[in-house]
Amino acid sequence: MIKKAKKLLKKLNNNLKTDYLRFLNLPINDRLVLVEGGQGSNINGNMFSMLKEIETNPRWAEYSTAFVVTEDTLVKAKERMSFYGFDNVTLLIRNSKNYCRALATAKYVMTDNSFPPYFQKRDEQVFLNTWHGTPLKTLGKSDKSNLASLANIQKNYLMSDYALFPNEFTRNVFMEDYELKYIFKNKSIIANYPRNYVFYDKAQGCEMKSALGLADKQVFAYMPTW
């Protein structure tokens, strides 16, 4: 049974790679942005904040957005797009044929994790990686239980035109644990995570405190991710 499952998985991966490679012959769509959070499993965080910026800022009015989901997150993503009125966003299931096409042809590609191993950034594409947290846990070569993911994440960072880190600590962890220190040549940016700009929205903060009956209090949020 395990042998048969591995054979089917290998065939699936080969078919996806074939689809993707075929789409590399298509021209780049200069007005398409592909946004992927948590390999399709995360429909909030940094990538949703980037989507929100694209969909609400008039500067990007001429651009269309493809937001990556999985079979498990599709329904909830549809509900979220409807709630925010993002009617023009295309939802793509990760590793589908349409996903492969968009990944191969979008001018701008963004992730807070890593794209599939078959992804190869084209010269005309602009690739931003924000990652999704501060690595207080072990990553890369320091995580002996998950070494299989090291190569693809390293590859993704080496292809990134821009790598955003929320602080020097995070940048240093990635440079060391993914063996990037001497080979990463593109732009690294130290800046707030996109998802954290909500903390600077005073109007929303006042509204939330009022709803919680804490209007006259100073509120602290403790939100560990691990």
Side-chain angles (χ1 to χ4, degrees), residues 221-226:
Y222 176 61
M223 301 181 292
T225 60
W226 191 255

Side-chain angles (χ1 to χ4, degrees), residues 77-222:
K78 285 181 178 178
E79 293 173 352
R80 194 148 210 232
M81 298 305 153
S82 177
F83 176 82
Y84 281 95
F86 297 163
D87 300 324
N88 296 322
V89 175
T90 301
L91 299 179
L92 299 178
I93 295 177
R94 196 174 196 261
N95 286 327
S96 66
K97 188 170 288 189
N98 286 335
Y99 168 83
C100 289
R101 183 189 185 99
L103 186 61
T105 59
K107 173 70 174 182
Y108 303 95
V109 294
M110 305 178 188
T111 181
D112 66 1
N113 197 295
S114 59
F115 290 121
Y118 55 77
F119 172 64
Q120 180 61 49
K121 189 184 87 72
R122 298 166 70 174
D123 291 340
E124 305 97 318
Q125 290 181 305
V126 179
F127 180 6
L128 166 68
N129 195 322
T130 70
W131 203 243
H132 54 269
T134 299
L136 299 178
K137 62 178 183 177
T138 53
L139 293 175
K141 67 182 182 182
S142 296
D143 182 9
K144 301 297 189 293
S145 65
N146 199 27
L147 287 176
S149 68
L150 190 155
N152 189 49
I153 293 175
Q154 182 191 61
K155 173 192 168 189
N156 271 255
Y157 269 90
L158 291 176
M159 290 189 294
S160 300
D161 296 287
Y162 302 95
L164 186 152
F165 303 101
N167 46 61
E168 290 286 353
F169 168 78
T170 301
R171 183 185 184 281
N172 291 341
V173 168
F174 271 83
M175 293 299 117
E176 291 291 338
D177 284 355
Y178 286 106
E179 300 283 3
L180 296 167
K181 188 173 182 179
Y182 300 108
I183 56 178
F184 181 78
K185 303 298 182 183
N186 294 321
K187 183 75 173 178
S188 65
I189 304 168
I190 303 295
N192 286 328
Y193 272 151
R195 70 186 186 197
N196 288 344
Y197 278 91
V198 68
F199 293 119
Y200 299 94
D201 187 333
K202 291 185 178 180
Q204 187 170 343
C206 290
E207 183 181 337
M208 181 172 290
K209 288 204 294 183
S210 178
L212 295 172
L214 301 171
D216 59 341
K217 306 292 184 182
Q218 185 174 11
V219 179
F220 295 86
Y222 176 61

Side-chain angles (χ1 to χ4, degrees), residues 51-69:
L51 172 69
K52 195 173 180 181
E53 169 68 16
I54 296 167
E55 291 299 307
T56 58
N57 190 331
R59 179 180 179 184
W60 311 111
E62 296 181 3
Y63 290 76
S64 57
T65 314
F67 191 73
V68 181
V69 296

